Amino acid sequence: MHIESNTIQETLVIPLWGRKYCSDIYPELYNDPMAEKIMENLDYDFSVLEQKKSSTMFRFGYLEAAARYTDLATEIKEYIGQHPKAAVVNLGCGLDCSAENNAGPSNKIYNIDRQDVIDVRNELIPPAENVTNIGSDLNDTVWFDAIDDSDGVIFFAAGVFYYFLAEEVRKLFTVMAKRFPGGISACRCRRWTARDAKTARGRALRRKRRW
């Protein structure tokens, strides 16, 4: 697939490259076997990113990213260890395969993002039999009806809520808690989101909530 600059596809490719980079330089901390496979099918100029990767700040940023994804993987594995047939839901999935990398064939996996993102994902990562990709705005709770939580459910999000207003996040999690009692969520968020204050640099927090 050819990826043009300044497109929605490019916003998916950059974090994908980051996950592969994390796997290369911090293999003892993080491993994403799918990232490299996906990149093999991309026609994109990674030269700008390659030039930056020796920077100390750049490496530190991706170390933080590796730690974030490792935290989420731990939460997923712990939950499905207690609920072997649970649903695993990736909110704002992009091209991230954390659910596929950490769940098993007995788990129902749901990847949710905008329809244009899901179209790209379906082409690059054909879903397995236990995987359902859903094209939907997260705030449009019609996607709730597609989730089978009869054996438990864990929702996780790596960074999508940075683009939400804080009130939008609170509202979404409130209705999720009512619809999916007994489920848990694990996500990375900030004290301020980008949409709350463009100049604020919110301190990243790791959140886990059990309903």
Side-chain angles (χ1 to χ4, degrees), residues 37 89 94 130 136 186 202:
K37 292 180 181 179
V89 185
N130 65 323
S136 176

Side-chain angles (χ1 to χ4, degrees), residues 61 63-73 157-159 187-188 190 206:
L63 174 60
E64 193 278 336
R68 176 174 70 244
Y69 282 103
T70 300
D71 283 348
L72 293 174
C187 66
R188 293 284 294 189
R190 295 176 183 271
R206 178 170 170 232

Side-chain angles (χ1 to χ4, degrees), residues 25-185:
I25 63 174
Y26 304 117
E28 70 285 356
L29 178 63
Y30 177 73
N31 180 44
D32 186 345
M34 288 296 295
E36 185 170 2
K37 292 180 181 179
I38 298 168
M39 287 181 60
E40 291 174 353
N41 295 316
L42 295 177
D43 173 19
Y44 178 75
D45 182 7
F46 290 99
S47 61
V48 174
L49 293 170
E50 292 290 336
Q51 291 170 8
K52 292 180 179 179
K53 71 180 185 180
S54 60
S55 161
T56 300
M57 288 303 296
F58 200 78
R59 289 176 66 94
F60 181 80
Y62 278 100
L63 174 60
E64 193 278 336
R68 176 174 70 244
Y69 282 103
T70 300
D71 283 348
L72 293 174
T74 298
E75 299 289 358
I76 294 168
K77 289 176 180 178
E78 286 183 356
Y79 186 78
I80 63 178
Q82 299 170 5
H83 305 81
K85 295 184 179 181
V88 180
V89 185
N90 189 344
L91 302 173
C93 59
L95 296 177
D96 172 43
C97 292
S98 292
E100 289 87 342
N101 289 340
N102 295 288
S106 61
N107 299 111
K108 298 174 289 289
I109 294 173
Y110 301 92
N111 296 304
I112 307 173
D113 213 315
R114 293 170 26 161
Q115 186 60 59
D116 52 355
V117 173
I118 293 299
D119 290 343
V120 175
R121 185 182 182 94
N122 284 336
E123 182 172 346
L124 290 172
I125 318 167
E129 185 176 348
N130 65 323
V131 176
T132 301
N133 294 333
I134 302 171
S136 176
D137 183 330
L138 289 178
N139 287 317
D140 181 358
T141 55
V142 67
W143 61 264
F144 285 11
D145 295 335
I147 308 300
D148 178 2
D149 64 324
S150 57
D151 293 306
V153 59
I154 177 171
F155 299 89
F156 71 95
V160 68
F161 292 129
Y162 180 70
Y163 301 100
F164 282 52
L165 291 169
E167 182 56 35
E168 290 176 325
V169 178
R170 282 192 290 268
K171 181 179 179 180
L172 177 60
F173 274 73
T174 297
V175 294
M176 286 171 63
K178 292 178 180 178
R179 172 59 180 80
F180 302 102
I184 71 166
S185 65

